[in-house]
């Protein structure tokens, strides 16, 4: 079964990771970042070795986000960041193909144990099964 495993963050977290503390997150040191990247890379290596990894990516800061909708005539309406009102966003993900919900839960728990500086906000890791068949009315 395929699952999307998502880690969350906020613009404030991205600021803190580049050494600028915010009200909600202390500044990260270079050693904090090194520990975080080592942890994430270890997960990637394990998933690759197990044949479970399809893709994994970290995403750019929320301030680079672009929202696209359409107006009444179907023309694009684009809104660029930053989005101060946006609290939590997807910061990165793994797309995995693994045997069971129990296994993907183990992967998510491993991601949730990522080291970070004391006082940094903790977010749940989100797991969603990929719906390869689409909705059905049968």
């Amino acid at each position: 079964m395929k699952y999307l495993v998502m880690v969350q963050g906020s613009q404030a977290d991205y600021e803190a990771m580049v050494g600028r503390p915010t009200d909600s997150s202390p500044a990260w040191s270079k050693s904090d970042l090194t520990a975080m990247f080592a942890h994430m890379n270890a997960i990637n290596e394990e998933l690759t070795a197990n044949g479970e990894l399809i893709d994994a990516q970290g995403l750019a800061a929320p301030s680079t986000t672009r929202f696209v909708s359409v107006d009444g005539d179907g023309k694009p309406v684009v809104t660029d960041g930053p989005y101060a009102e946006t609290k939590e966003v997807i910061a990165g993900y793994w797309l995995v193909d693994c045997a069971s919900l129990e296994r993907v839960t183990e992967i998510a728990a491993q991601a949730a144990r990522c080291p970070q500086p004391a006082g940094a906000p903790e977010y749940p890791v989100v797991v969603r099964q990929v719906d390869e068949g689409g909705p059905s009315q049968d």
Side-chain angles (χ1 to χ4, degrees):
M1 290 181 276
K2 292 180 184 167
Y3 295 93
L4 189 62
V5 178
M6 299 166 279
V7 292
Q8 301 177 75
S10 69
Q11 182 63 40
D13 298 323
Y14 281 81
E15 296 293 326
M17 286 184 186
V18 296
R20 294 188 291 267
T22 65
D23 291 340
S24 61
S25 189
W28 288 52
S29 68
K30 287 184 181 183
S31 64
D32 292 328
L33 282 175
T34 299
M36 185 263 300
F37 284 124
H39 182 84
M40 295 302 184
N41 287 332
I43 294 172
N44 294 345
E45 290 169 7
E46 176 188 330
L47 295 173
T48 299
N50 292 345
E52 296 171 313
L53 184 65
I54 298 171
D55 188 32
Q57 300 291 328
L59 302 177
S63 61
T64 65
T65 300
R66 172 176 267 197
F67 286 102
V68 179
S69 59
V70 293
D71 66 14
D73 296 323
K75 294 180 182 162
V77 176
V78 178
T79 308
D80 291 325
Y83 304 102
E85 71 281 0
T86 302
K87 299 207 183 318
E88 298 167 6
V89 297
I90 302 304
Y93 67 88
W94 290 269
L95 180 59
V96 298
D97 190 349
C98 58
S100 65
L101 182 58
E102 291 76 19
R103 172 62 183 138
V104 75
T105 300
E106 291 171 5
I107 295 166
Q110 187 176 1
R113 289 191 288 272
C114 184
Q116 60 183 23
E122 295 183 23
Y123 302 101
V125 175
V126 179
V127 174
R128 303 267 315 262
Q129 186 173 352
V130 174
D131 183 2
E132 295 183 272
S136 174
Q137 293 186 356
D138 294 334

Coordinates of all heavy atoms in Angstrom, one line a residue, residues 11 61-67 78-86:
Q11 N 6.1 29.1 9.0 CA 7.1 30.1 8.6 C 8.0 30.4 9.7 O 9.2 30.6 9.5 CB 6.4 31.4 8.0 CG 7.4 32.4 7.5 CD 8.2 31.9 6.3 OE1 7.7 31.3 5.4 NE2 9.5 32.3 6.3
A61 N 10.2 27.3 2.2 CA 9.5 28.1 3.2 C 8.1 28.5 2.8 O 7.9 28.8 1.6 CB 10.3 29.3 3.6
P62 N 7.2 28.6 3.7 CA 5.8 29.0 3.3 C 5.8 30.4 2.6 O 4.9 30.6 1.8 CB 5.0 29.0 4.6 CG 5.8 28.0 5.5 CD 7.2 28.1 5.1
S63 N 6.8 31.2 2.9 CA 6.8 32.6 2.3 C 6.9 32.5 0.8 O 6.7 33.5 0.1 CB 7.9 33.4 2.9 OG 9.1 32.8 2.7
T64 N 7.3 31.4 0.3 CA 7.4 31.2 -1.2 C 6.2 30.6 -1.8 O 6.2 30.4 -3.0 CB 8.6 30.3 -1.5 OG1 8.4 29.0 -1.1 CG2 9.9 30.8 -0.9
T65 N 5.1 30.4 -1.0 CA 3.9 29.8 -1.5 C 3.2 30.7 -2.5 O 3.2 31.9 -2.4 CB 3.0 29.5 -0.3 OG1 3.7 28.6 0.6 CG2 1.7 28.9 -0.7
R66 N 2.4 30.1 -3.4 CA 1.6 30.7 -4.3 C 0.2 30.0 -4.3 O 0.2 28.8 -4.5 CB 2.2 30.7 -5.7 CG 1.3 31.2 -6.8 CD 2.0 31.3 -8.1 NE 2.5 32.6 -8.2 CZ 2.9 33.1 -9.3 NH1 2.9 32.4 -10.4 NH2 3.4 34.3 -9.4
F67 N -0.9 30.7 -4.0 CA -2.2 30.1 -4.1 C -2.8 30.5 -5.4 O -2.8 31.7 -5.9 CB -3.1 30.7 -3.0 CG -2.8 30.2 -1.6 CD1 -2.1 30.9 -0.7 CD2 -3.3 28.9 -1.3 CE1 -1.8 30.4 0.6 CE2 -3.0 28.4 0.0 CZ -2.3 29.1 0.9
V78 N -4.0 34.7 -8.7 CA -2.8 34.3 -8.0 C -2.6 35.2 -6.8 O -2.6 36.4 -6.9 CB -1.5 34.3 -8.9 CG1 -0.3 33.9 -8.2 CG2 -1.8 33.4 -10.2
T79 N -2.3 34.5 -5.7 CA -2.0 35.2 -4.4 C -0.6 34.7 -4.0 O -0.5 33.5 -3.8 CB -3.0 35.0 -3.3 OG1 -4.3 35.3 -3.9 CG2 -2.8 35.9 -2.1
D80 N 0.3 35.6 -3.8 CA 1.7 35.2 -3.4 C 1.8 35.5 -1.9 O 1.1 36.3 -1.3 CB 2.8 36.0 -4.1 CG 2.9 35.7 -5.5 OD1 2.7 34.5 -5.9 OD2 3.1 36.6 -6.3
G81 N 2.7 34.7 -1.2 CA 3.0 34.9 0.2 C 3.6 36.2 0.5 O 3.8 37.0 -0.3
P82 N 4.0 36.5 1.8 CA 3.8 35.5 2.9 C 2.4 35.5 3.5 O 1.6 36.4 3.2 CB 4.8 36.1 3.9 CG 4.8 37.6 3.7 CD 4.6 37.7 2.2
Y83 N 2.2 34.4 4.2 CA 0.8 34.2 4.7 C 0.9 34.1 6.2 O 1.1 33.1 6.8 CB 0.2 32.9 4.1 CG 0.2 33.0 2.6 CD1 1.2 32.3 1.9 CD2 -0.7 33.8 2.0 CE1 1.1 32.4 0.5 CE2 -0.7 33.9 0.6 CZ 0.2 33.2 -0.1 OH 0.2 33.3 -1.5
A84 N 0.9 35.3 6.9 CA 1.0 35.3 8.3 C -0.1 34.5 9.0 O 0.1 33.9 10.1 CB 1.0 36.8 8.8
E85 N -1.3 34.5 8.4 CA -2.4 33.7 9.0 C -2.3 32.2 8.9 O -3.0 31.5 9.5 CB -3.7 34.2 8.4 CG -4.0 33.7 6.9 CD -3.2 34.5 5.9 OE1 -2.5 35.5 6.2 OE2 -3.4 34.2 4.7
T86 N -1.4 31.8 8.0 CA -1.1 30.3 7.8 C -0.3 29.8 9.0 O 0.8 30.3 9.2 CB -0.5 30.0 6.5 OG1 -1.3 30.5 5.5 CG2 -0.3 28.5 6.3

